[in-house]
Amino acid sequence: MEVRKQLINEYLLEGQFGLEKESLRVDREGFLSHTPHPFDDLVQIDRDFCENQIEIITGVNDSVDDVYDELKSLHNLAVERLYHLESGREYIWNFSNPPFVKSEEDIPIAKFHGHLKTKERYREYLSKKYGRRKMLYSGIHFNFSFSKRYLEQAFHDSGEEDFKTFKDTLYLELAQKVVRYGWLIVYLTAASPLMDGSFLDYEKIGTDVLSPYASGRCSEIGYWNQFVPILDYSNLSSYTDSMQEYVDQGQLKAAGELYYPVRLKPLGENSLENLKETGVNHIELRNIDLNPLAEIGIQKEDIHFLHLLLVYLNALEYETLADFEQVMSIKNIKEAAKFNDKKIEIETGWDQKKNIRELTKKILEDMENFFRPFGNPETESVLAYQKNKVLNEKARYAKKIMHAFEGGYVNHGLEQSKAYAKRVLAK
């Protein structure tokens, strides 16, 4: 699906943005909280898998700046409320890897009541199938949709006859490109090289572990299905049917159990039926670590980059993602999650591999060339920020975090959470 550069330039920074941020609640000693979820009055702050894991959900925003500001506002609200809990002061843990974990009982499944009780039973099913520890991984999901003006003009230029089919096809093609380049997102945002020993062995609580991974949650020890799914992207009906087939075969309890780096979502209820009937509303990127170097878990520059990457990928020539490439792409994501990037090799085809640093540098240079004619200083700055992570080894998040928090991962992380809470309360 060809997209005119003039069209991209005209609507470059337009779109709609949303963020979902998972975080664990911890007490003053760095242990997981055991108090009930304290945000039942706020629909923007929900439970995730366990009762002590929150999910902050922004609304739909018209710019990166706006969605960042809303996430910060909600994050600060949560920080302030946790600080003043009658049951005892708590903090938001700002890492993808958990703090001290004493046992399975330290990870209480989220409680729901009434018609929502099915959510609790679903979590019990996940607990038995995958184990509770992996459920403690936390991260950020980035949601994006192209602006209505962009889609309408692109549809007009395409000569297609049906707008819904055009839009669905655009997002299906984009989703395949995101899967193919998913390793790049992991490499540039991986931020969890350290973990407490209790995450691997409850007996080793309080022991720092420098893992071989820059991102545990996106690595081979992360939260993945027990098989690599093969999806049919030929049209939206085939796409939803290929996911439903895994449910029908008993490999998944529900489509939401498909742990995949990208999802296509409808407006309203997130179900395959609604997606097939009403079409794609937005795309969700799911393999982004919490960044403890950022006050609210993500740098604004990285949100801008994800936006630019989607614009860039959307304009690339479309190539069908073959079945073997789907398997290869998941393998590449797990490979990109490793710490030693000098030895990370990304598969680019049959028996073809390239070092991740060199390949990332080449893609970022291609992006710079693509966006340069538009003369946008902010775009140039965002790409330079990402490129510095590759050119300057010390600028990579995983490296920075290793040096900043090693020798007291939980204690140093807790000090950071406490310091941030004080700054929020002082305002």
Side-chain angles (χ1 to χ4, degrees):
M1 187 175 293
E2 295 293 329
V3 181
R4 288 190 294 114
K5 286 191 175 183
Q6 179 185 345
L7 196 60
I8 297 169
N9 186 28
E10 189 173 356
Y11 305 120
L12 178 63
L13 297 180
E14 288 189 356
Q16 293 188 311
F17 306 82
L19 292 170
E20 301 165 42
K21 176 180 178 287
E22 305 157 346
S23 300
L24 292 165
R25 294 187 288 121
V26 297
D27 64 20
R28 286 176 286 188
E29 305 300 322
F31 292 94
L32 293 171
S33 165
H34 282 271
T35 57
H37 178 75
F39 302 102
D40 280 334
D41 59 321
L42 298 171
V43 295
Q44 304 100 323
I45 306 179
D46 201 359
R47 296 166 177 81
D48 205 274
F49 169 77
C50 45
E51 189 73 8
N52 47 29
Q53 186 179 45
I54 63 172
E55 182 177 28
I56 300 175
I57 308 164
T58 72
V60 180
N61 291 266
D62 293 328
S63 73
V64 168
D65 288 344
D66 287 347
V67 77
Y68 178 86
D69 289 344
E70 185 185 359
L71 180 65
K72 185 172 184 178
S73 176
L74 290 169
H75 183 273
N76 290 353
L77 186 156
V79 166
E80 186 171 0
R81 180 172 294 191
L82 292 176
Y83 193 89
H84 292 297
L85 283 180
E86 291 184 6
S87 54
R89 191 170 297 163
E90 294 180 8
Y91 301 93
I92 290 179
W93 184 247
N94 212 21
F95 294 78
S96 280
N97 293 339
F100 300 135
V101 186
K102 291 183 284 188
S103 65
E104 289 282 301
E105 290 67 37
D106 213 20
I107 313 168
I109 292 173
K111 299 296 181 184
F112 295 91
H113 305 282
H115 69 284
L116 297 177
K117 195 69 176 178
T118 54
K119 289 188 173 184
E120 186 175 333
R121 288 194 286 268
Y122 177 63
R123 284 159 172 76
E124 290 171 351
Y125 155 81
L126 296 176
S127 172
K128 293 176 182 177
K129 185 172 182 179
Y130 299 96
R132 295 191 187 185
R133 267 188 283 198
K134 285 189 177 182
M135 306 294 184
L136 293 175
Y137 281 126
S138 299
I140 288 182
H141 300 169
F142 172 75
N143 296 279
F144 174 76
S145 61
F146 292 101
S147 71
K148 184 178 179 181
R149 292 200 304 172
Y150 171 83
L151 291 170
E152 289 178 345
Q153 187 60 55
F155 170 64
H156 179 269
D157 285 2
S158 72
E160 299 287 339
E161 296 182 355
D162 182 73
F163 178 71
K164 178 183 177 297
T165 301
F166 167 82
K167 186 172 73 165
D168 290 343
T169 301
L170 182 148
Y171 280 113
L172 284 164
E173 293 180 1
L174 179 60
Q176 293 171 79
K177 295 171 184 177
V178 172
V179 172
R180 183 179 278 125
Y181 285 84
W183 63 266
L184 178 71
I185 299 171
V186 171
Y187 179 58
L188 292 174
T189 61
S192 50
L194 294 168
M195 61 178 63
D196 188 71
S198 60
F199 185 62
L200 303 173
D201 182 347
Y202 294 134
E203 298 297 321
K204 295 182 178 179
I205 193 166
T207 304
D208 275 11
V209 175
L210 176 58
S211 78
Y213 309 106
S215 170
R217 63 190 287 273
C218 294
S219 75
E220 58 194 1
I221 66 166
Y223 198 178
W224 295 94
N225 296 116
Q226 297 163 344
F227 60 94
V228 177
I230 303 297
L231 303 181
D232 186 345
Y233 291 93
S234 54
N235 56 61
L236 188 59
S237 180
S238 298
Y239 174 76
T240 56
D241 288 347
S242 64
M243 285 191 280
Q244 182 61 43
E245 189 173 345
Y246 288 112
V247 179
D248 295 341
Q249 292 173 349
Q251 291 175 275
L252 302 174
K253 185 80 169 179
E257 192 190 337
L258 191 68
Y259 302 116
Y260 209 61
V262 58
R263 285 181 180 172
L264 297 177
K265 290 190 167 183
L267 184 64
E269 180 189 358
N270 182 29
S271 68
L272 292 181
E273 295 80 8
N274 189 34
L275 178 61
K276 181 186 288 190
E277 182 178 344
T278 65
V280 182
N281 179 70
H282 62 278
I283 189 169
E284 178 188 48
L285 310 186
R286 301 169 51 81
N287 49 353
I288 306 150
D289 270 2
L290 292 180
N291 181 0
L293 301 172
E295 288 188 329
I296 62 170
I298 190 168
Q299 296 280 22
K300 190 186 293 186
E301 292 89 343
D302 290 325
I303 307 174
H304 275 296
F305 174 71
L306 294 172
H307 175 209
L308 295 179
L309 180 64
L310 291 178
V311 172
Y312 168 75
L313 293 179
N314 181 56
L316 286 183
E317 184 176 351
Y318 168 65
E319 296 179 26
T320 302
L321 192 68
D323 290 357
F324 87 91
E325 288 183 291
Q326 295 190 45
V327 175
M328 182 179 72
S329 295
I330 299 302
K331 183 179 178 181
N332 282 339
I333 287 174
K334 295 176 182 179
E335 184 73 10
K338 293 180 179 178
F339 185 82
N340 188 356
D341 59 354
K342 293 179 181 178
K343 294 184 177 181
I344 297 175
E345 298 289 320
I346 299 299
E347 295 185 29
T348 57
W350 291 113
D351 296 322
Q352 297 179 21
K353 294 184 178 182
K354 292 184 180 179
N355 175 263
I356 196 168
R357 294 176 69 179
E358 294 304 313
L359 192 54
T360 300
K361 183 171 175 284
K362 173 66 167 58
I363 293 170
L364 292 175
E365 287 173 349
D366 288 346
M367 290 181 69
E368 286 177 328
N369 292 333
F370 175 80
F371 285 106
R372 186 172 292 115
F374 308 137
N376 188 298
E378 185 176 42
T379 297
E380 294 172 3
S381 175
V382 168
L383 293 176
Y385 179 83
Q386 303 301 327
K387 200 172 181 181
N388 186 49
K389 297 177 188 177
V390 184
L391 300 178
N392 179 5
E393 189 176 348
K394 294 181 180 180
R396 189 177 171 214
Y397 291 153
K399 286 278 189 179
K400 285 184 175 182
I401 291 162
M402 181 189 70
H403 292 299
F405 296 96
E406 193 175 19
Y409 160 64
V410 175
N411 290 332
H412 293 337
L414 188 61
E415 289 172 5
Q416 183 198 56
S417 294
K418 290 178 177 180
Y420 182 71
K422 288 180 179 179
R423 290 197 296 273
V424 170
L425 293 165
K427 292 180 181 178

